[in-house]
Amino acid sequence: MIDTNGTNEARLTENPSADSEYIWSPDGSSIAFVSNRDGNNEIYVMDANGANQTRLTNNIARDRSPVWSRDGTRIAFVSNRDRNQEIYVMNADGSNQARLTNNVASDESPAWSPDGARIAFVSNRDANNEIYVMNADGLRQTRLTNNIARDESPAWSPDGARIAFISNRDGNNEIYVMDANGSNQRNLTRNGTSDSEFSWSHDSARIAFVSDRDGNFEIYVMGADGSNQTRLTKDPATDRSPVWSPNDSRIAFVSDRDGNLEIYVMGADGSNQTRLTSNPAWDWVPAWSP
C-alpha cells in the first residue's frame, strides 16, 4: 500500500496470501481489509498507519470484498452467512449490518455510485453473471446487462455517468462501458487476448487497464471512449493492478519484475517507472489516498 508520497504503508500480515484484500477509506484515514486470522474470513478496519485493527464482522461465514461508500460512512460487502453469496451493508464501525440482496443465486462485486445512492453488483440469478444496480437500501434491483456471456466487475466512472465492466461476450475478456442506466453498451477494447483489471482516472477521461495482447500482462491506457490505446509498461514480467494518483499524473501498479510482487509507480505516460517497495514478501493491491 502506498500513500501520496510513495512510501510503504503498514503490512497487513507477515505472510500475505492471495486471498487478502483491502481498500482505503475515501479520506485516506482508514483501511478496510479481509483477514482469516480468527479462523475464517472477516472484515476488519485499521488506521492508515496500521494501528487500531478492529474486527467489524464476526460469524462463521466468509465475509469479503469490502467497498467504502464515497462519504466513508458505510461499507458494502459480500457474505455467505445465509448459505449463498449475498450483498450486505454496514456502518463504517460495523454496526447495523443489513442484507441488501436475498435470492438463491450468487450476488457479489458491489460498487458504490459516486453519490452513494446506488450500488452496482454482479448476480447469476438469471443463469449467468450479469450487471445489476439497486438503491443503497437494496430496493429497485434492476438488471442492466442481458446476454449469454459473463458480465462482471462493474465500476462507476467518477462523474457517475457510466459504468465500465468486463465481459467475455465476444469470446474473451474485454472492457466494455455503458451509460449508468444500462443503455449504450459498447466495446472499449477488442482483441484476441484478455483485457481486464481497469481503473478510471479521476477526471473520468481515461482508463488504465491490463492486457496480455503482447504476450504477457502489461499496463495500458486509453481514452474513456476506447481511443488511443497505448502500452505503458514493457517488461517480460507481469505488470498488473493499475490505479491512478489523485491528480491523475501518475499510476501505481504491481510487478514481479524483480522476482516477487512489489509496488511501482510511473508517470501517466509510462515514464519514470520506479519501485516503491523492496522486501522478500509480497506487496500488492496499491491504493492512493485522496
Side-chain angles (χ1 to χ4, degrees), residues 60-104:
I60 61 175
R62 295 174 63 248
D63 297 328
R64 61 182 181 86
S65 303
V67 183
W68 294 91
S69 62
R70 181 65 65 91
D71 63 6
T73 63
R74 291 169 292 171
I75 297 174
F77 63 100
V78 175
S79 179
N80 66 348
R81 59 183 68 177
D82 293 302
R83 300 193 179 187
N84 65 298
Q85 303 279 83
E86 302 283 3
I87 296 174
Y88 291 73
V89 68
M90 60 184 167
N91 293 336
D93 62 0
S95 63
N96 296 324
Q97 296 181 26
R99 185 172 61 186
L100 299 182
T101 63
N102 185 10
N103 62 78
V104 297

Side-chain angles (χ1 to χ4, degrees), residues 158 162 199-209 221-225 227-228 244 247-251 267-269:
R162 290 155 291 173
S199 172
W200 287 95
S201 63
H202 293 82
D203 62 6
S204 299
R206 291 169 291 174
I207 296 175
F209 65 101
V221 69
M222 62 182 169
D225 60 358
S227 62
N228 299 319
W244 295 85
N247 63 4
D248 292 332
S249 65
R250 292 182 291 169
I251 296 173
D269 60 358

Side-chain angles (χ1 to χ4, degrees), residues 9-257:
E9 284 284 4
R11 184 175 306 282
L12 300 185
T13 64
E14 291 299 321
N15 296 293
S17 71
D19 291 332
S20 297
E21 51 184 314
Y22 51 99
I23 184 169
W24 287 83
S25 62
D27 66 359
S29 65
S30 302
I31 300 170
F33 65 99
V34 175
S35 176
N36 64 357
R37 61 182 68 177
D38 292 306
N40 66 297
N41 285 3
E42 301 283 2
I43 297 173
Y44 293 72
V45 69
M46 64 181 174
D47 297 343
N49 64 1
N52 298 317
Q53 296 184 22
T54 304
R55 186 169 62 185
L56 299 183
T57 64
N58 185 7
N59 61 78
I60 61 175
R62 295 174 63 248
D63 297 328
R64 61 182 181 86
S65 303
V67 183
W68 294 91
S69 62
R70 181 65 65 91
D71 63 6
T73 63
R74 291 169 292 171
I75 297 174
F77 63 100
V78 175
S79 179
N80 66 348
R81 59 183 68 177
D82 293 302
R83 300 193 179 187
N84 65 298
Q85 303 279 83
E86 302 283 3
I87 296 174
Y88 291 73
V89 68
M90 60 184 167
N91 293 336
D93 62 0
S95 63
N96 296 324
Q97 296 181 26
R99 185 172 61 186
L100 299 182
T101 63
N102 185 10
N103 62 78
V104 297
S106 177
D107 299 325
E108 54 189 347
S109 301
W112 290 91
S113 63
D115 62 4
R118 291 172 292 171
I119 297 174
F121 64 100
V122 174
S123 179
N124 66 356
R125 62 185 65 177
D126 294 303
N128 66 297
N129 284 1
E130 303 282 3
I131 309 296
Y132 290 73
V133 69
M134 62 184 167
N135 291 347
D137 60 3
L139 297 178
R140 298 187 63 183
Q141 297 180 25
T142 304
R143 186 170 63 184
L144 299 183
T145 64
N146 186 6
N147 61 76
I148 61 174
R150 292 183 293 104
D151 297 328
E152 302 173 325
S153 304
W156 297 80
S157 60
D159 61 12
R162 290 155 291 173
I163 298 174
F165 60 100
I166 304 295
S167 180
N168 67 348
R169 59 181 68 177
D170 290 312
N172 62 291
N173 282 349
E174 302 283 2
I175 300 172
Y176 288 73
V177 71
M178 58 185 167
D179 295 345
N181 64 2
S183 64
N184 198 21
Q185 296 178 25
R186 65 267 189 199
N187 282 72
L188 295 183
T189 65
R190 189 190 297 271
N191 65 80
T193 57
S194 175
D195 298 326
S196 61
E197 293 187 28
F198 63 89
S199 172
W200 287 95
S201 63
H202 293 82
D203 62 6
S204 299
R206 291 169 291 174
I207 296 175
F209 65 101
V210 174
S211 179
D212 63 351
R213 62 184 66 179
D214 292 305
N216 64 300
F217 289 105
E218 304 281 3
I219 310 295
Y220 290 72
V221 69
M222 62 182 169
D225 60 358
S227 62
N228 299 319
Q229 295 181 26
T230 304
R231 186 171 64 184
L232 300 184
T233 64
K234 186 178 182 181
D235 193 277
T238 294
D239 298 328
R240 307 191 73 150
S241 303
V243 61
W244 295 85
S245 65
N247 63 4
D248 292 332
S249 65
R250 292 182 291 169
I251 296 173
F253 64 100
V254 174
S255 179
D256 62 357
R257 60 182 65 178

